[in-house]
Amino acid sequence: MTQNKNKVVIFLGPPGAGKGTQAERLAAEQDLVKISTGDILRDHVARGTELGQTVQPILTAGQLVPDDILIALIRDKLAGMEQVRVIFDGFPRTQAQAQALDLLLEELGAPVTAVPLLEVPDEALVGRIVERGRQAAARGEAVRSDDTEEVARKRQQVYREQTQPLIEHYEGRGHLYRVDGVGTMDEVYSRILNGMR
Ligand code: ADP
């Protein structure tokens, strides 16, 4: 049964492309565990853990948390999983993280299954992020400290410099496919599913 098979999906795409939303739905429908490194880090910040205190200023500046911290987090998450059925949202973000993940997955005998790349034009991305912040505020929810226009721009720049090169990493292995990220949530979701088979 497919439910009992390893499956490793990595969502790639710039901040604001909608990775989190799409990954959430795919995880629910395909019985996968969503591993969102941004959520994990923000949870540490909210709880005021030692890690949270270390990473808080980095998140607020829109920069990347050091690779060794992220790699240790992911190693912990995957440790002891009998079946590796996961979606990565926000990891890997650097070449070093991608290489570490390749090794970890090899050890677990669970190779990458699919890497959807969500594509959204640059002009739309910052607007989406700022709008998300506004809506959260309107609902009385906490607004991410990095969802301001200035930090959102910084995050795009960091993405272009450090994460975009991973497209080649996964393209070379034949796992990557491009998904038009402009449209309704349902439209984008169908494109993701279509690309997977
Ligand atoms: P977005 O994709 O919208 O920027 P995330 O929630 O994925 O949002 O990430 C928020 C922040 O968390 C990043 O700007 C970065 O500071 C930190 N972070 C998340 N994942 C990683 C990672 N894999 N490596 C380094 N830093 C990370």
Side-chain angles (χ1 to χ4, degrees), residues 46-65:
R47 289 187 289 120
T49 66
E50 203 179 321
L51 174 62
Q53 291 175 30
T54 306
V55 304
Q56 189 270 334
I58 305 176
L59 263 67
T60 301
Q63 271 153 357
L64 293 187
V65 170

Side-chain angles (χ1 to χ4, degrees), residues 13-17 19 36-39 41-42 55 58-67 70 74 89-94 97 129 132 144 146-147 151 155-156 158:
K19 300 184 297 293
S36 164
T37 46
D39 286 349
L41 295 170
R42 278 187 292 278
V55 304
I58 305 176
L59 263 67
T60 301
Q63 271 153 357
L64 293 187
V65 170
D67 288 330
L70 267 297
I74 297 297
D89 160 29
F91 183 92
R93 256 178 159 93
T94 64
Q97 292 179 18
I129 288 174
R132 174 170 74 192
R144 279 173 54 169
D146 59 351
D147 273 357
V151 181
R155 283 155 58 201
Q156 306 302 335
V158 169

